[in-house]
Structures are given as structure tokens and as C-alpha cells.
Amino acid sequence: MGERQESLWSRINRNLRYIISGVWNDTRDHWSVKMVKIINLSVQSFLDRDLQLRAASLTYSTVLAIVPALAMLFAIARGFGFQNLMQSELLRYFPSQRQALENALVYVDNYLSQASQGIFIGIGLIFLLWTLVSLMSNVENTFNHVWGITTRRSLQRKFTDYSALFLLLPVLIVCSAGISIFMSDAVQRVFEGKDLSPMVHRLLSFMPTVISWIIFTAAYYMVPNTRVKLTGALCAGILCGTLFQVVQMLFMSGQIYVSKYNAIYGSFAFLPLMLVWMQISWLITLAGVVLTYAWQNFDSFVYRGKAQEVSPAYSRHLTLAVLALAAKRFKQRDGYLTRHELIYDYDIPGPLADSMLEQLQRAGLICAITGGKHDDDKAFQPACDPDDITIVMATNALADQGHSHFIVKADERFAPVLKHLEALRQSQQEMANDVPLYRLL
């Protein structure tokens, strides 16, 4: 019995070691191996990027933008004639907070009236747009943080992309709230008042979930400032949209139990539960971003574990090789070197590729240029004539970046050692075959 138990524990430990670290050394092209890599990278990325703290920040931004967002939602609903439907849906979501919701709707009506007439029309519209743009900027920054993107959209791209989202998402939300009713009426007209089968009713009740899939997929595909594969966004959108609907149902059912606390908290009884619901919803949303990122980038993390402990010598040599490739491309007019190429054509892990490109830019050896359809499609070219980028010149530029000889007391105490090392460096440079770096490729 003891041997069997020990064997069972050893198998469990072996499987855990494989899931945590060993899977990155598995080169088999099997779906199960890919799924383990995707899950591994998703969990690690979720834990490494402090997404719980960012979800709390987005929850605060959502609370700040909730009145302007409801104002825009009701303005669009009025245009489609859905205002009464939206009010009934909100009351259905919060059955025990009718009084609080009615007061909130009064605030929304006052906000719309003040923003659409008199001297407040410009200020009201500017505040409404600023609040929503601020929320969308926080969402975009969080999505880009997950993807490891440091460049933001230009002001023009923000205006066009955010305008499309502001117009599209409220329409989808309105449709999600009323599509079952309208589809049911349409089907009833087609069947001339006949009773519908239970299957048709189930399909109609399932339509809000489909709308949630579309919303999450569109967010994962459009919001990150990079090229996102539709397959990864779709899979993450279906999974997170379903989880969101489940959390929404639990939140709606939880309103029944909140009613007993109304005597203590009054109209604020639903506020803690609403904040928890927002926090969980944003965590689900960010988990979908991480899943989309892992789905698209797990192939580039084959050497993820080893790249975290790369030796300085290998990293420096690989950096010089990247510089040689960029110089050769430029000299032969063979196109620019891109980050995407380093990751997907040379299997260099993303963090290591970013580190090398950043070192070369800080050393003044390469410069980034913007190209392609997205703002993050940066190509890289030499910052000077490729014939001037020799082995010694590039090595010195990389070695001398940053501050040096600023610790006076240490420089005085270690002067003999430092002078000897500097002389050794000069002798090695004189012995080196100082040819242009690109000629080595």
C-alpha cells in the first residue's frame, strides 16, 4: 500500500513538473501539448502582470463612468425606441432596488437634458466623452500591458476606433437586452400566433449569450494595439462571454438575498454586491485577454524557461547578430527587421527580443520606424551607415551604455584593477578583425 501511494505521489509530482516547466521542452506537435502550453502561459501571464490590481482600477473607472455610459446608452435606446425596454431590463436585473434605480434614472435624464440644451451643451458633451474616453484608455492600456505593448494609439486612431466602439457596443447591449422579445414577436408573426416549440424558446433565450460572445470577441480583437488572430479572440470570447453570463445570472439571483439588508443599508444595499460583480466581470475580461495572448504566442515561448536565465555572453552575442541582420537588410535593401520576425521566424522569446532591441536602441545602433497597418508594427534599421558598424564599435557601444565612473571612492580604491581591465580591453580591440558587422552573415 505504501509503495502504491508513493508511486501515485511520484506520478502526480512528475505530471506537475511537466505542466509547470517541462512542457516547454516538449516539441511534439499535438493538440494536448499545445493546450498545456496555452494554459501554462495564461496562468503565468495572469500572475505576473498584477491583473487583480488592474481589475480594481478598471472597476473604479467604471463606477466613475457609469452615469455617462447610461446616458449614452439611454440616448441610443431613445433613438431606437427602446427606452422603456431598457428600464424594464434594469429593474429585472435589480428587483430589490427599484427605488435606487428610479433615482439613478432621474439623474440620467437630468444629465441628458443638461448636456443637450442651454450653455451646458458643450461642457456636458465634453465631460461625457472625456469620461468614456478615459475608461477606454484605461482598458486599452491594460490590454496592451498584457500583450507587452508599450506604444499607444495615435490621437486620430483613438478617435476613430473609440467612436466605432461607442456606437457599436451600446447598440449590441440594447439588442442583447431586447433581442429575445423582438425575435419572439417576429417568430409569433411568422407562425401566426401558434405556440412555439420549447427548442425555439431556448434558442431565443440563448441569443443574449451569443451577443456577449460577439462583444467579448470584438473587444479582444480590436482593443489591443497589435495584430490579433481572430481564432484566439473568438475562443476567448466564447469562453469569457459564457462565464460573464453565468456571473450575471448569479448576480441577478443574489439581489433576492440583498433585500433583507435594505433595513440597514437602505438604497445602498446593492452597492457592495455591484462592486463585487464589476470586479469579477473585469477579472473575467482580463483573463480572456491573457488567453488570447497565450493562444497567439505560446509557440514563441518554447525557450521561455531558459531565456529567463540566459547568460550575459550569449545575450550579447545574440544582440550583435540581430544588429548584423538589421544592417545587412538595410545595406541590401531587403526590407526592415521587425520584432515579429525575430519572434516567429527565429524563435526568440518575446521578452528576450524586446530586451535586445531596447539595448540596441539605447546604444544608438538602431532606430525604430513605424510601418504597417497598426501603430505597434515597428521596423528597425541601423542608426548610421552599416559600413561604420564594426564589431569593435558595436561592442563598445553596447558595453558603454549607461553611467560609469561615478562612484568616486570605489574608483579610487579599485583603480589598479580598473586600469588593468581597460588596458586588456584596448589590447583585445587592437587584435580584433574590425570588419563591418553585416559581412559576417
Side-chain angles (χ1 to χ4, degrees), residues 2 6 15 22 26 57 73 86 111 122 157 164 178 209 220 271 283 363:
E6 183 179 358
N15 291 331
D26 194 342
S57 175
L73 188 63
M86 290 298 301
Y111 189 93
R157 287 288 307 280
T209 304
Y220 298 149
L271 184 59
L283 284 175

Side-chain angles (χ1 to χ4, degrees), residues 112-371:
L112 288 175
S113 62
Q114 292 295 331
S116 60
Q117 64 182 355
I119 62 174
F120 295 100
I121 180 171
I123 300 175
L125 290 177
I126 290 174
F127 180 75
L128 185 147
L129 293 177
W130 175 83
T131 307
L132 296 179
V133 168
S134 176
L135 175 61
M136 285 303 304
S137 297
N138 290 336
V139 174
E140 181 189 352
N141 293 337
T142 304
F143 281 31
N144 290 339
H145 175 71
V146 173
W147 281 86
I149 301 169
T150 57
T151 56
R152 299 181 179 181
R153 281 179 171 86
S154 62
L155 185 61
Q156 180 181 1
R157 287 288 307 280
K158 282 186 177 183
F159 178 77
T160 55
D161 294 349
Y162 291 176
S163 298
L165 287 174
F166 291 157
L167 294 176
L168 179 62
L169 290 182
V171 172
L172 289 177
I173 294 173
V174 170
C175 292
S176 175
I179 194 168
S180 298
I181 298 175
F182 288 108
M183 289 294 293
S184 179
D185 292 340
V187 174
Q188 289 287 355
R189 294 191 195 99
V190 172
F191 287 94
E192 298 179 353
K194 296 180 181 179
D195 292 336
L196 301 179
S197 64
M199 181 62 67
V200 175
H201 282 292
R202 290 180 181 178
L203 290 176
L204 292 177
S205 63
F206 192 68
M207 289 304 296
T209 304
V210 176
I211 298 295
S212 297
W213 293 351
I214 297 174
I215 293 175
F216 277 92
T217 302
Y220 298 149
Y221 184 75
M222 296 174 59
V223 173
N225 191 28
T226 186
R227 293 177 180 176
V228 180
K229 292 182 179 179
L230 183 59
T231 53
L234 181 60
C235 293
I238 292 175
L239 177 61
C240 294
T242 304
L243 288 176
F244 177 79
Q245 289 294 322
V246 172
V247 172
Q248 191 177 29
M249 287 189 297
L250 294 175
F251 177 67
M252 291 170 58
S253 62
Q255 293 297 310
I256 300 175
Y257 300 99
V258 175
S259 59
K260 65 178 64 177
Y261 297 103
N262 286 348
I264 302 175
Y265 294 102
S267 60
F268 293 98
F270 80 106
L271 184 59
L273 186 60
M274 186 184 70
L275 293 176
V276 171
W277 171 68
M278 286 185 180
Q279 177 89 2
I280 296 176
S281 299
W282 277 119
L283 284 175
I284 293 174
T285 303
L286 297 182
V289 181
V290 170
L291 181 59
T292 307
Y293 167 78
W295 188 286
Q296 183 167 325
N297 293 280
F298 75 93
D299 284 334
S300 63
F301 280 78
V302 176
Y303 309 107
R304 181 175 183 269
K306 294 181 180 179
Q308 293 177 346
E309 300 178 358
V310 61
S311 66
Y314 182 65
S315 177
R316 181 58 52 85
H317 295 165
L318 203 59
T319 303
L320 292 173
V322 170
L323 176 61
L325 180 60
K328 183 178 180 180
R329 290 283 185 85
F330 184 83
K331 186 70 176 180
Q332 298 180 352
R333 299 182 179 179
D334 196 19
Y336 300 110
L337 179 65
T338 62
R339 175 182 181 273
H340 184 275
E341 183 180 2
L342 292 178
I343 294 175
Y344 293 100
D345 293 348
Y346 291 87
D347 285 342
I348 298 178
L352 182 58
D354 293 333
S355 175
M356 293 189 298
L357 293 173
E358 184 179 357
Q359 289 181 36
L360 291 172
Q361 289 185 86
R362 286 205 309 263
L365 296 172
I366 64 173
C367 58
I369 58 175
T370 302

